[in-house]
Amino acid sequence: MILGAIEAGGTKFVCAIGDEQGNIHERAVFPTTAPEETMAHVIDFFRPHRIEAIGIGSFGPVDLRPDSPTYGYITSTPKQAWAQFDFVGTMKQHFPVPIGFDTDVNAAALGELRWGAAQGLDSCLYMTVGTGIGVGAVVEGRLLHGMLHPEMGHMFVRRHPDDAFAGICPYHGDCLEGMASGPAIERRWGKKGAELADRHEVWELEAFYLAQAIANYILVLSPEKVITGGGVMKQTHVLPLVRRHVQELLNGYVQHETILEKIDEYIVLPGLGDNAGVAGALALAAAANE
Amino acid sequence: MILGAIEAGGTKFVCAIGDEQGNIHERAVFPTTAPEETMAHVIDFFRPHRIEAIGIGSFGPVDLRPDSPTYGYITSTPKQAWAQFDFVGTMKQHFPVPIGFDTDVNAAALGELRWGAAQGLDSCLYMTVGTGIGVGAVVEGRLLHGMLHPEMGHMFVRRHPDDAFAGICPYHGDCLEGMASGPAIERRWGKKGAELADRHEVWELEAFYLAQAIANYILVLSPEKVITGGGVMKQTHVLPLVRRHVQELLNGYVQHETILEKIDEYIVLPGLGDNAGVAGALALAAAANE
């Protein structure tokens, strides 16, 4: 089966031609500028191929309610040019094939479950820490949706007693995204995370916030694997700190061997690296064609 | 269909004979003492009836993994007499019929979805605030399970700046259950909640903690309805305070009419009152017999 995949992010679109086994035959990256421009690149990329279905994992907020008049739209995003953009409808005009549509983080969670770090499991959580903080989840083999799609990145967390930073979330100030996203790190310390690699206190604080949210996700969803990706997690010294804080917070309460004794195998980096999202979009395409 | 239902709580067992429409024909309550004694009452209650299936919603922790050697057990509960009690096995010895088994709060969530405040919806969250704080959830029509069952009552919450109370959770101190359960109220204020009805500051603080957890549940699960039951919620002046705090915390971020404008219909008391759990156990029985 020839499938098209789009991981639509706020800074770039990753497109791929691949198949239902997660193989990626061809891959291209386009910057996220105006919809007309970016979508023209996307359409040109797919046109030569006889694609049988398309999967889209998109930045949001997006409308995922199949019975909604704006199903398949990017809705009230602060990226003005993309607000109320009919993503699925635009693709359908050019490619009249089945189209699967979900959030970028849900696509990544699905990709990791099928072919990555959570392969063979029934559930996982995928958290990306970068420009924003987004989280997708698979529960009993199915992507987690609700009344709206989850917005776990905005979880309310406890402030560190030594941290006076106000937070940068325009809605909540010091929610998780407001305290621990890439731009929050830069605003608090006056430098980008990549330039702070050797400052232990930066990453201790980062882990303090990420671990609280992960502990709460575990208490709510009890996933079989927690996968952490995105630019901030490329500071690979963060993850061991996160694991330690999660264990300390839960304090033996969640009595499962993998948390008590094998946390290095429980909270992990993406098995698919930067291809989790686009691979997940292939899985969305395959599912749409079933 | 003649179905048996058990809502097994830490202080009492509610048993019922009913049917797959949620009708309760007969109901009895037994105190939770030693397993031999309590279970003898339960078995005597069901024996005269030709029950075709049994549903059990039990206090926990319980083992819900079908492939586990201790499936159907109450596991490491602090109620020593019940630790490692083979609940499903004991019932099966006396009644060789299909048995559905889940947590007490999951049963209540299912009962409310079928016949209560969330009737006709695909998802809901049921939170009980009493001796402990427990939460069950239905997601796309199915009860939420994970690697272990969720333990949302222990969510980490922000301490109120004027609250010096240490919290009573033996694992986490000041997690939600440690700060806002019935015993936490009693320990903090020196009186039971029922004797503090006219003390506004008690319920403002209670709502401050409950609302944080509910806001986080909304961010993670995006349920279509949030149902709050248990002894503490019988202080009916608490719920309006909780709703106001949830709206303030989310601050317009979750852009759904029901949260922005109809929160009185979104965060509600149980439609089935104290029968949510036992009605849900009937639904578990019906599902086990399918």
PDB file of all heavy atoms in Angstrom, chain A residues 147-148 151 154 156-158 171-172 174 216 219 222 250-251 253, chain B residues 147-148 151 154 156-158 171-172 174 216 219 222 249-251 253:
ATOM      1  N   MET A 147     -13.953  15.090  24.897  1.00  0.00           N
ATOM      2  CA  MET A 147     -14.885  16.114  24.431  1.00  0.00           C
ATOM      3  C   MET A 147     -14.151  17.032  23.445  1.00  0.00           C
ATOM      4  O   MET A 147     -14.642  17.355  22.379  1.00  0.00           O
ATOM      5  CB  MET A 147     -15.357  16.886  25.647  1.00  0.00           C
ATOM      6  CG  MET A 147     -16.440  17.871  25.393  1.00  0.00           C
ATOM      7  SD  MET A 147     -17.077  18.473  26.974  1.00  0.00           S
ATOM      8  CE  MET A 147     -15.709  19.476  27.580  1.00  0.00           C
ATOM      9  N   LEU A 148     -12.962  17.466  23.862  1.00  0.00           N
ATOM     10  CA  LEU A 148     -11.988  18.082  22.958  1.00  0.00           C
ATOM     11  C   LEU A 148     -10.754  17.190  23.071  1.00  0.00           C
ATOM     12  O   LEU A 148     -10.723  16.279  23.876  1.00  0.00           O
ATOM     13  CB  LEU A 148     -11.658  19.502  23.424  1.00  0.00           C
ATOM     14  CG  LEU A 148     -12.838  20.477  23.361  1.00  0.00           C
ATOM     15  CD1 LEU A 148     -12.487  21.785  24.028  1.00  0.00           C
ATOM     16  CD2 LEU A 148     -13.238  20.723  21.908  1.00  0.00           C
ATOM     17  N   GLU A 151      -5.214  18.308  26.538  1.00  0.00           N
ATOM     18  CA  GLU A 151      -4.239  19.417  26.547  1.00  0.00           C
ATOM     19  C   GLU A 151      -3.346  19.269  27.767  1.00  0.00           C
ATOM     20  O   GLU A 151      -3.201  20.173  28.576  1.00  0.00           O
ATOM     21  CB  GLU A 151      -4.980  20.761  26.583  1.00  0.00           C
ATOM     22  CG  GLU A 151      -5.657  21.112  25.273  1.00  0.00           C
ATOM     23  CD  GLU A 151      -4.671  21.501  24.166  1.00  0.00           C
ATOM     24  OE1 GLU A 151      -3.461  21.566  24.432  1.00  0.00           O
ATOM     25  OE2 GLU A 151      -5.146  21.719  23.039  1.00  0.00           O
ATOM     26  N   HIS A 154      -0.652  21.626  29.585  1.00  0.00           N
ATOM     27  CA  HIS A 154      -0.976  22.770  30.441  1.00  0.00           C
ATOM     28  C   HIS A 154      -1.307  22.352  31.879  1.00  0.00           C
ATOM     29  O   HIS A 154      -1.924  23.111  32.623  1.00  0.00           O
ATOM     30  CB  HIS A 154      -2.129  23.567  29.836  1.00  0.00           C
ATOM     31  CG  HIS A 154      -1.719  24.322  28.612  1.00  0.00           C
ATOM     32  ND1 HIS A 154      -1.354  25.646  28.646  1.00  0.00           N
ATOM     33  CD2 HIS A 154      -1.570  23.919  27.330  1.00  0.00           C
ATOM     34  CE1 HIS A 154      -1.024  26.039  27.420  1.00  0.00           C
ATOM     35  NE2 HIS A 154      -1.145  25.012  26.604  1.00  0.00           N
ATOM     36  N   PHE A 156      -1.441  21.823  35.746  1.00  0.00           N
ATOM     37  CA  PHE A 156      -1.023  22.684  36.856  1.00  0.00           C
ATOM     38  C   PHE A 156      -0.033  21.924  37.724  1.00  0.00           C
ATOM     39  O   PHE A 156      -0.291  20.815  38.154  1.00  0.00           O
ATOM     40  CB  PHE A 156      -2.246  23.114  37.670  1.00  0.00           C
ATOM     41  CG  PHE A 156      -3.204  23.897  36.828  1.00  0.00           C
ATOM     42  CD1 PHE A 156      -4.300  23.299  36.232  1.00  0.00           C
ATOM     43  CD2 PHE A 156      -2.965  25.242  36.567  1.00  0.00           C
ATOM     44  CE1 PHE A 156      -5.158  24.020  35.408  1.00  0.00           C
ATOM     45  CE2 PHE A 156      -3.815  25.968  35.739  1.00  0.00           C
ATOM     46  CZ  PHE A 156      -4.916  25.360  35.166  1.00  0.00           C
ATOM     47  N   VAL A 157       1.123  22.549  37.948  1.00  0.00           N
ATOM     48  CA  VAL A 157       2.197  21.910  38.712  1.00  0.00           C
ATOM     49  C   VAL A 157       2.574  22.778  39.911  1.00  0.00           C
ATOM     50  O   VAL A 157       2.290  23.979  39.940  1.00  0.00           O
ATOM     51  CB  VAL A 157       3.454  21.680  37.830  1.00  0.00           C
ATOM     52  CG1 VAL A 157       3.207  20.556  36.834  1.00  0.00           C
ATOM     53  CG2 VAL A 157       3.868  22.962  37.107  1.00  0.00           C
ATOM     54  N   ARG A 158       3.202  22.149  40.872  1.00  0.00           N
ATOM     55  CA  ARG A 158       3.693  22.884  42.039  1.00  0.00           C
ATOM     56  C   ARG A 158       4.944  23.659  41.666  1.00  0.00           C
ATOM     57  O   ARG A 158       5.858  23.108  41.052  1.00  0.00           O
ATOM     58  CB  ARG A 158       4.074  21.896  43.145  1.00  0.00           C
ATOM     59  CG  ARG A 158       2.920  21.140  43.689  1.00  0.00           C
ATOM     60  CD  ARG A 158       3.450  20.065  44.613  1.00  0.00           C
ATOM     61  NE  ARG A 158       2.338  19.372  45.255  1.00  0.00           N
ATOM     62  CZ  ARG A 158       2.485  18.365  46.100  1.00  0.00           C
ATOM     63  NH1 ARG A 158       3.694  17.911  46.391  1.00  0.00           N
ATOM     64  NH2 ARG A 158       1.427  17.792  46.635  1.00  0.00           N
ATOM     65  N   TYR A 171      -2.343  31.821  29.122  1.00  0.00           N
ATOM     66  CA  TYR A 171      -3.592  31.478  29.824  1.00  0.00           C
ATOM     67  C   TYR A 171      -3.386  31.249  31.318  1.00  0.00           C
ATOM     68  O   TYR A 171      -4.179  31.671  32.136  1.00  0.00           O
ATOM     69  CB  TYR A 171      -4.220  30.221  29.231  1.00  0.00           C
ATOM     70  CG  TYR A 171      -4.820  30.440  27.870  1.00  0.00           C
ATOM     71  CD1 TYR A 171      -4.071  30.198  26.720  1.00  0.00           C
ATOM     72  CD2 TYR A 171      -6.118  30.894  27.739  1.00  0.00           C
ATOM     73  CE1 TYR A 171      -4.617  30.407  25.465  1.00  0.00           C
ATOM     74  CE2 TYR A 171      -6.677  31.115  26.489  1.00  0.00           C
ATOM     75  CZ  TYR A 171      -5.925  30.863  25.353  1.00  0.00           C
ATOM     76  OH  TYR A 171      -6.467  31.067  24.126  1.00  0.00           O
ATOM     77  N   HIS A 172      -2.310  30.529  31.664  1.00  0.00           N
ATOM     78  CA  HIS A 172      -2.172  30.057  33.045  1.00  0.00           C
ATOM     79  C   HIS A 172      -0.914  30.544  33.744  1.00  0.00           C
ATOM     80  O   HIS A 172      -0.711  30.219  34.912  1.00  0.00           O
ATOM     81  CB  HIS A 172      -2.169  28.527  33.081  1.00  0.00           C
ATOM     82  CG  HIS A 172      -3.249  27.901  32.241  1.00  0.00           C
ATOM     83  ND1 HIS A 172      -2.963  27.090  31.186  1.00  0.00           N
ATOM     84  CD2 HIS A 172      -4.591  28.011  32.297  1.00  0.00           C
ATOM     85  CE1 HIS A 172      -4.106  26.714  30.615  1.00  0.00           C
ATOM     86  NE2 HIS A 172      -5.102  27.255  31.266  1.00  0.00           N
ATOM     87  N   ASP A 174       1.972  29.984  35.193  1.00  0.00           N
ATOM     88  CA  ASP A 174       2.932  28.978  35.637  1.00  0.00           C
ATOM     89  C   ASP A 174       2.431  27.544  35.559  1.00  0.00           C
ATOM     90  O   ASP A 174       2.755  26.725  36.414  1.00  0.00           O
ATOM     91  CB  ASP A 174       3.438  29.309  37.038  1.00  0.00           C
ATOM     92  CG  ASP A 174       2.304  29.353  38.067  1.00  0.00           C
ATOM     93  OD1 ASP A 174       1.126  29.137  37.681  1.00  0.00           O
ATOM     94  OD2 ASP A 174       2.588  29.596  39.255  1.00  0.00           O
ATOM     95  N   ASN A 216       1.682  12.704  37.570  1.00  0.00           N
ATOM     96  CA  ASN A 216       0.231  12.872  37.485  1.00  0.00           C
ATOM     97  C   ASN A 216      -0.360  12.107  36.296  1.00  0.00           C
ATOM     98  O   ASN A 216      -1.419  11.496  36.414  1.00  0.00           O
ATOM     99  CB  ASN A 216      -0.136  14.353  37.425  1.00  0.00           C
ATOM    100  CG  ASN A 216      -0.209  14.997  38.809  1.00  0.00           C
ATOM    101  OD1 ASN A 216      -0.271  14.298  39.824  1.00  0.00           O
ATOM    102  ND2 ASN A 216      -0.207  16.312  38.851  1.00  0.00           N
ATOM    103  N   LEU A 219      -0.671   8.591  37.381  1.00  0.00           N
ATOM    104  CA  LEU A 219      -1.789   8.383  38.304  1.00  0.00           C
ATOM    105  C   LEU A 219      -3.130   8.383  37.568  1.00  0.00           C
ATOM    106  O   LEU A 219      -4.073   7.724  37.987  1.00  0.00           O
ATOM    107  CB  LEU A 219      -1.790   9.457  39.392  1.00  0.00           C
ATOM    108  CG  LEU A 219      -0.626   9.372  40.393  1.00  0.00           C
ATOM    109  CD1 LEU A 219      -0.593  10.617  41.277  1.00  0.00           C
ATOM    110  CD2 LEU A 219      -0.719   8.119  41.259  1.00  0.00           C
ATOM    111  N   SER A 222      -2.062   5.523  33.888  1.00  0.00           N
ATOM    112  CA  SER A 222      -1.343   4.266  34.107  1.00  0.00           C
ATOM    113  C   SER A 222      -0.838   3.655  32.791  1.00  0.00           C
ATOM    114  O   SER A 222      -1.099   2.496  32.498  1.00  0.00           O
ATOM    115  CB  SER A 222      -2.284   3.283  34.844  1.00  0.00           C
ATOM    116  OG  SER A 222      -1.594   2.164  35.324  1.00  0.00           O
ATOM    117  N   LEU A 250       6.275   9.457  43.511  1.00  0.00           N
ATOM    118  CA  LEU A 250       5.311   8.362  43.696  1.00  0.00           C
ATOM    119  C   LEU A 250       5.609   7.597  44.988  1.00  0.00           C
ATOM    120  O   LEU A 250       4.697   7.034  45.596  1.00  0.00           O
ATOM    121  CB  LEU A 250       5.318   7.429  42.485  1.00  0.00           C
ATOM    122  CG  LEU A 250       4.807   8.075  41.186  1.00  0.00           C
ATOM    123  CD1 LEU A 250       4.967   7.095  40.016  1.00  0.00           C
ATOM    124  CD2 LEU A 250       3.341   8.498  41.300  1.00  0.00           C
ATOM    125  N   ASN A 251       6.876   7.568  45.395  1.00  0.00           N
ATOM    126  CA  ASN A 251       7.275   7.030  46.690  1.00  0.00           C
ATOM    127  C   ASN A 251       6.746   5.614  46.941  1.00  0.00           C
ATOM    128  O   ASN A 251       6.222   5.305  48.021  1.00  0.00           O
ATOM    129  CB  ASN A 251       6.805   7.995  47.796  1.00  0.00           C
ATOM    130  CG  ASN A 251       7.468   7.707  49.136  1.00  0.00           C
ATOM    131  OD1 ASN A 251       8.561   7.127  49.179  1.00  0.00           O
ATOM    132  ND2 ASN A 251       6.802   8.080  50.212  1.00  0.00           N
ATOM    133  N   TYR A 253       4.179   4.162  45.781  1.00  0.00           N
ATOM    134  CA  TYR A 253       2.724   3.982  45.832  1.00  0.00           C
ATOM    135  C   TYR A 253       2.197   3.158  44.663  1.00  0.00           C
ATOM    136  O   TYR A 253       1.321   2.313  44.833  1.00  0.00           O
ATOM    137  CB  TYR A 253       2.016   5.344  45.855  1.00  0.00           C
ATOM    138  CG  TYR A 253       0.525   5.173  45.930  1.00  0.00           C
ATOM    139  CD1 TYR A 253      -0.060   4.721  47.106  1.00  0.00           C
ATOM    140  CD2 TYR A 253      -0.278   5.392  44.822  1.00  0.00           C
ATOM    141  CE1 TYR A 253      -1.424   4.510  47.179  1.00  0.00           C
ATOM    142  CE2 TYR A 253      -1.641   5.184  44.891  1.00  0.00           C
ATOM    143  CZ  TYR A 253      -2.211   4.745  46.066  1.00  0.00           C
ATOM    144  OH  TYR A 253      -3.550   4.526  46.122  1.00  0.00           O
TER     145      TYR A 253
ATOM    146  N   MET B 147      -1.784   0.022  32.936  1.00  0.00           N
ATOM    147  CA  MET B 147      -0.847  -0.988  33.410  1.00  0.00           C
ATOM    148  C   MET B 147      -1.334  -1.492  34.763  1.00  0.00           C
ATOM    149  O   MET B 147      -1.389  -2.680  35.034  1.00  0.00           O
ATOM    150  CB  MET B 147       0.520  -0.327  33.552  1.00  0.00           C
ATOM    151  CG  MET B 147       1.631  -1.245  33.869  1.00  0.00           C
ATOM    152  SD  MET B 147       3.200  -0.369  33.686  1.00  0.00           S
ATOM    153  CE  MET B 147       3.138   0.808  35.051  1.00  0.00           C
ATOM    154  N   LEU B 148      -1.682  -0.561  35.643  1.00  0.00           N
ATOM    155  CA  LEU B 148      -2.442  -0.840  36.858  1.00  0.00           C
ATOM    156  C   LEU B 148      -3.690   0.026  36.734  1.00  0.00           C
ATOM    157  O   LEU B 148      -3.805   0.819  35.819  1.00  0.00           O
ATOM    158  CB  LEU B 148      -1.645  -0.442  38.106  1.00  0.00           C
ATOM    159  CG  LEU B 148      -0.385  -1.268  38.320  1.00  0.00           C
ATOM    160  CD1 LEU B 148       0.447  -0.678  39.443  1.00  0.00           C
ATOM    161  CD2 LEU B 148      -0.750  -2.710  38.644  1.00  0.00           C
ATOM    162  N   GLU B 151      -4.995   5.798  39.731  1.00  0.00           N
ATOM    163  CA  GLU B 151      -5.035   6.183  41.151  1.00  0.00           C
ATOM    164  C   GLU B 151      -5.092   7.703  41.215  1.00  0.00           C
ATOM    165  O   GLU B 151      -4.283   8.346  41.868  1.00  0.00           O
ATOM    166  CB  GLU B 151      -3.795   5.645  41.875  1.00  0.00           C
ATOM    167  CG  GLU B 151      -3.821   4.154  42.110  1.00  0.00           C
ATOM    168  CD  GLU B 151      -4.839   3.737  43.169  1.00  0.00           C
ATOM    169  OE1 GLU B 151      -5.459   4.625  43.802  1.00  0.00           O
ATOM    170  OE2 GLU B 151      -5.011   2.518  43.355  1.00  0.00           O
ATOM    171  N   HIS B 154      -4.667  10.408  44.159  1.00  0.00           N
ATOM    172  CA  HIS B 154      -3.385  10.815  44.755  1.00  0.00           C
ATOM    173  C   HIS B 154      -2.658  11.868  43.924  1.00  0.00           C
ATOM    174  O   HIS B 154      -1.458  12.072  44.100  1.00  0.00           O
ATOM    175  CB  HIS B 154      -2.493   9.590  44.970  1.00  0.00           C
ATOM    176  CG  HIS B 154      -2.974   8.704  46.070  1.00  0.00           C
ATOM    177  ND1 HIS B 154      -2.492   8.780  47.349  1.00  0.00           N
ATOM    178  CD2 HIS B 154      -3.947   7.763  46.098  1.00  0.00           C
ATOM    179  CE1 HIS B 154      -3.119   7.899  48.116  1.00  0.00           C
ATOM    180  NE2 HIS B 154      -4.012   7.261  47.376  1.00  0.00           N
ATOM    181  N   PHE B 156      -0.874  15.072  42.553  1.00  0.00           N
ATOM    182  CA  PHE B 156      -0.117  16.110  43.248  1.00  0.00           C
ATOM    183  C   PHE B 156      -0.745  17.463  42.954  1.00  0.00           C
ATOM    184  O   PHE B 156      -0.950  17.813  41.804  1.00  0.00           O
ATOM    185  CB  PHE B 156       1.350  16.074  42.809  1.00  0.00           C
ATOM    186  CG  PHE B 156       1.987  14.763  43.152  1.00  0.00           C
ATOM    187  CD1 PHE B 156       2.081  13.749  42.209  1.00  0.00           C
ATOM    188  CD2 PHE B 156       2.427  14.516  44.446  1.00  0.00           C
ATOM    189  CE1 PHE B 156       2.626  12.513  42.546  1.00  0.00           C
ATOM    190  CE2 PHE B 156       2.972  13.283  44.790  1.00  0.00           C
ATOM    191  CZ  PHE B 156       3.075  12.279  43.833  1.00  0.00           C
ATOM    192  N   VAL B 157      -1.059  18.198  44.017  1.00  0.00           N
ATOM    193  CA  VAL B 157      -1.722  19.493  43.864  1.00  0.00           C
ATOM    194  C   VAL B 157      -0.882  20.588  44.518  1.00  0.00           C
ATOM    195  O   VAL B 157      -0.016  20.314  45.357  1.00  0.00           O
ATOM    196  CB  VAL B 157      -3.137  19.474  44.510  1.00  0.00           C
ATOM    197  CG1 VAL B 157      -4.099  18.649  43.663  1.00  0.00           C
ATOM    198  CG2 VAL B 157      -3.091  18.954  45.943  1.00  0.00           C
ATOM    199  N   ARG B 158      -1.165  21.810  44.105  1.00  0.00           N
ATOM    200  CA  ARG B 158      -0.479  22.956  44.706  1.00  0.00           C
ATOM    201  C   ARG B 158      -1.073  23.245  46.070  1.00  0.00           C
ATOM    202  O   ARG B 158      -2.288  23.290  46.226  1.00  0.00           O
ATOM    203  CB  ARG B 158      -0.706  24.187  43.842  1.00  0.00           C
ATOM    204  CG  ARG B 158      -0.078  24.112  42.499  1.00  0.00           C
ATOM    205  CD  ARG B 158      -0.521  25.294  41.673  1.00  0.00           C
ATOM    206  NE  ARG B 158       0.173  25.297  40.401  1.00  0.00           N
ATOM    207  CZ  ARG B 158      -0.039  26.176  39.447  1.00  0.00           C
ATOM    208  NH1 ARG B 158      -0.949  27.140  39.617  1.00  0.00           N
ATOM    209  NH2 ARG B 158       0.625  26.119  38.324  1.00  0.00           N
ATOM    210  N   TYR B 171       1.778   7.897  51.866  1.00  0.00           N
ATOM    211  CA  TYR B 171       2.776   7.841  50.787  1.00  0.00           C
ATOM    212  C   TYR B 171       3.282   9.222  50.388  1.00  0.00           C
ATOM    213  O   TYR B 171       4.457   9.414  50.151  1.00  0.00           O
ATOM    214  CB  TYR B 171       2.196   7.155  49.545  1.00  0.00           C
ATOM    215  CG  TYR B 171       2.014   5.677  49.717  1.00  0.00           C
ATOM    216  CD1 TYR B 171       0.803   5.160  50.158  1.00  0.00           C
ATOM    217  CD2 TYR B 171       3.057   4.802  49.460  1.00  0.00           C
ATOM    218  CE1 TYR B 171       0.636   3.790  50.321  1.00  0.00           C
ATOM    219  CE2 TYR B 171       2.906   3.438  49.621  1.00  0.00           C
ATOM    220  CZ  TYR B 171       1.685   2.930  50.054  1.00  0.00           C
ATOM    221  OH  TYR B 171       1.524   1.598  50.214  1.00  0.00           O
ATOM    222  N   HIS B 172       2.347  10.184  50.255  1.00  0.00           N
ATOM    223  CA  HIS B 172       2.717  11.458  49.642  1.00  0.00           C
ATOM    224  C   HIS B 172       2.496  12.668  50.538  1.00  0.00           C
ATOM    225  O   HIS B 172       2.761  13.792  50.111  1.00  0.00           O
ATOM    226  CB  HIS B 172       1.900  11.673  48.353  1.00  0.00           C
ATOM    227  CG  HIS B 172       1.838  10.471  47.472  1.00  0.00           C
ATOM    228  ND1 HIS B 172       0.676   9.840  47.154  1.00  0.00           N
ATOM    229  CD2 HIS B 172       2.832   9.765  46.874  1.00  0.00           C
ATOM    230  CE1 HIS B 172       0.936   8.793  46.380  1.00  0.00           C
ATOM    231  NE2 HIS B 172       2.235   8.725  46.196  1.00  0.00           N
ATOM    232  N   ASP B 174       1.023  15.500  51.225  1.00  0.00           N
ATOM    233  CA  ASP B 174       0.056  16.508  50.789  1.00  0.00           C
ATOM    234  C   ASP B 174      -0.429  16.342  49.348  1.00  0.00           C
ATOM    235  O   ASP B 174      -0.653  17.326  48.651  1.00  0.00           O
ATOM    236  CB  ASP B 174       0.634  17.904  51.005  1.00  0.00           C
ATOM    237  CG  ASP B 174       1.938  18.141  50.243  1.00  0.00           C
ATOM    238  OD1 ASP B 174       2.405  17.215  49.551  1.00  0.00           O
ATOM    239  OD2 ASP B 174       2.482  19.251  50.334  1.00  0.00           O
ATOM    240  N   ASN B 216      -6.973  19.346  36.197  1.00  0.00           N
ATOM    241  CA  ASN B 216      -5.964  18.467  35.606  1.00  0.00           C
ATOM    242  C   ASN B 216      -6.599  17.248  34.927  1.00  0.00           C
ATOM    243  O   ASN B 216      -6.166  16.830  33.857  1.00  0.00           O
ATOM    244  CB  ASN B 216      -4.937  18.040  36.660  1.00  0.00           C
ATOM    245  CG  ASN B 216      -3.829  19.072  36.852  1.00  0.00           C
ATOM    246  OD1 ASN B 216      -3.640  19.960  36.020  1.00  0.00           O
ATOM    247  ND2 ASN B 216      -3.092  18.959  37.938  1.00  0.00           N
ATOM    248  N   LEU B 219      -7.767  18.381  31.607  1.00  0.00           N
ATOM    249  CA  LEU B 219      -6.660  18.558  30.662  1.00  0.00           C
ATOM    250  C   LEU B 219      -6.144  17.223  30.136  1.00  0.00           C
ATOM    251  O   LEU B 219      -5.670  17.126  29.008  1.00  0.00           O
ATOM    252  CB  LEU B 219      -5.516  19.340  31.311  1.00  0.00           C
ATOM    253  CG  LEU B 219      -5.816  20.815  31.618  1.00  0.00           C
ATOM    254  CD1 LEU B 219      -4.711  21.420  32.474  1.00  0.00           C
ATOM    255  CD2 LEU B 219      -5.987  21.627  30.336  1.00  0.00           C
ATOM    256  N   SER B 222     -10.303  15.092  29.114  1.00  0.00           N
ATOM    257  CA  SER B 222     -11.342  15.800  28.385  1.00  0.00           C
ATOM    258  C   SER B 222     -12.688  15.058  28.420  1.00  0.00           C
ATOM    259  O   SER B 222     -13.286  14.787  27.387  1.00  0.00           O
ATOM    260  CB  SER B 222     -10.868  16.012  26.930  1.00  0.00           C
ATOM    261  OG  SER B 222     -11.683  16.921  26.245  1.00  0.00           O
ATOM    262  N   LEU B 249      -9.170  28.478  37.049  1.00  0.00           N
ATOM    263  CA  LEU B 249      -7.902  27.824  36.730  1.00  0.00           C
ATOM    264  C   LEU B 249      -7.730  27.675  35.225  1.00  0.00           C
ATOM    265  O   LEU B 249      -6.678  28.000  34.667  1.00  0.00           O
ATOM    266  CB  LEU B 249      -7.848  26.438  37.381  1.00  0.00           C
ATOM    267  CG  LEU B 249      -7.468  26.383  38.850  1.00  0.00           C
ATOM    268  CD1 LEU B 249      -7.782  25.012  39.422  1.00  0.00           C
ATOM    269  CD2 LEU B 249      -5.979  26.684  39.029  1.00  0.00           C
ATOM    270  N   LEU B 250      -8.749  27.156  34.552  1.00  0.00           N
ATOM    271  CA  LEU B 250      -8.611  26.919  33.106  1.00  0.00           C
ATOM    272  C   LEU B 250      -8.566  28.235  32.337  1.00  0.00           C
ATOM    273  O   LEU B 250      -7.980  28.317  31.265  1.00  0.00           O
ATOM    274  CB  LEU B 250      -9.743  26.025  32.605  1.00  0.00           C
ATOM    275  CG  LEU B 250      -9.717  24.590  33.146  1.00  0.00           C
ATOM    276  CD1 LEU B 250     -10.952  23.825  32.684  1.00  0.00           C
ATOM    277  CD2 LEU B 250      -8.449  23.848  32.722  1.00  0.00           C
ATOM    278  N   ASN B 251      -9.210  29.259  32.875  1.00  0.00           N
ATOM    279  CA  ASN B 251      -9.109  30.622  32.349  1.00  0.00           C
ATOM    280  C   ASN B 251      -9.397  30.718  30.845  1.00  0.00           C
ATOM    281  O   ASN B 251      -8.675  31.374  30.100  1.00  0.00           O
ATOM    282  CB  ASN B 251      -7.709  31.177  32.681  1.00  0.00           C
ATOM    283  CG  ASN B 251      -7.626  32.678  32.469  1.00  0.00           C
ATOM    284  OD1 ASN B 251      -8.655  33.368  32.539  1.00  0.00           O
ATOM    285  ND2 ASN B 251      -6.438  33.179  32.196  1.00  0.00           N
ATOM    286  N   TYR B 253      -9.069  28.535  28.567  1.00  0.00           N
ATOM    287  CA  TYR B 253      -8.185  27.795  27.669  1.00  0.00           C
ATOM    288  C   TYR B 253      -8.895  26.635  26.974  1.00  0.00           C
ATOM    289  O   TYR B 253      -8.697  26.399  25.780  1.00  0.00           O
ATOM    290  CB  TYR B 253      -6.962  27.271  28.418  1.00  0.00           C
ATOM    291  CG  TYR B 253      -6.027  26.536  27.500  1.00  0.00           C
ATOM    292  CD1 TYR B 253      -5.265  27.234  26.569  1.00  0.00           C
ATOM    293  CD2 TYR B 253      -5.944  25.152  27.517  1.00  0.00           C
ATOM    294  CE1 TYR B 253      -4.437  26.572  25.695  1.00  0.00           C
ATOM    295  CE2 TYR B 253      -5.121  24.478  26.636  1.00  0.00           C
ATOM    296  CZ  TYR B 253      -4.369  25.198  25.731  1.00  0.00           C
ATOM    297  OH  TYR B 253      -3.558  24.528  24.859  1.00  0.00           O
TER     298      TYR B 253
END
